[in-house]
Amino acid sequence: TSNLATSAPYVVSEDEAKFYYYGISPSPPRLLYRTDLLTRPWVKPQDLEAYHSPKRAIGVFGHKLNEVWDEVGKKVRDLLEQVAWTSIDVVQFITDHDGKEAKGPVVIWVGVHPTHGANQAEQIFKSAGNILELLKSYGIGDVTVEYRASIYRLLDGSPLLPPAF
């Protein structure tokens, strides 16, 4: 990371960056930043038998953000102009804590190209604040913004064969 990133108040610990998305895939993405760092601190497992609580991503339904996403989504994209973003998704995460599921907040989940993420800490931090301000202007205050390392790959190939009868 750059000197700015390591000295700034918006840096996540190495363990949190590595294990925050544990469970969502065989090789979960690296967390770069999240807007609820202070209000929902990540707790590293401490015991000898400790393990990370697995997460899974689910869709978002029945939330006010769904009603305005066609308009807000474009504005979010525009606020990411200075960030090397690869994707923008709206998700919720369910975390399994000893057999009990806990649903997290609605998340605007921004993918950032991994080779640029560490060098863009300040831009990521500023864009996150701007996105939260945008959401407030729509009366939405219960959404967090998270940035992850992500590479977008367009899957392109031969068309599928027709189905066999």
Side-chain angles (χ1 to χ4, degrees), residues 67-76 134 138:
E67 299 168 15
V68 295
W69 183 248
D70 287 343
E71 184 178 337
V72 169
K74 293 171 189 166
K75 292 179 179 183
V76 167
L134 169 68
Y138 282 84

Side-chain angles (χ1 to χ4, degrees), residues 20-22 27 37 50 77 80 83-84:
Y20 185 76
Y21 293 120
Y22 172 78
S27 57
L37 280 170
R77 177 202 59 209
L80 292 169
V83 176

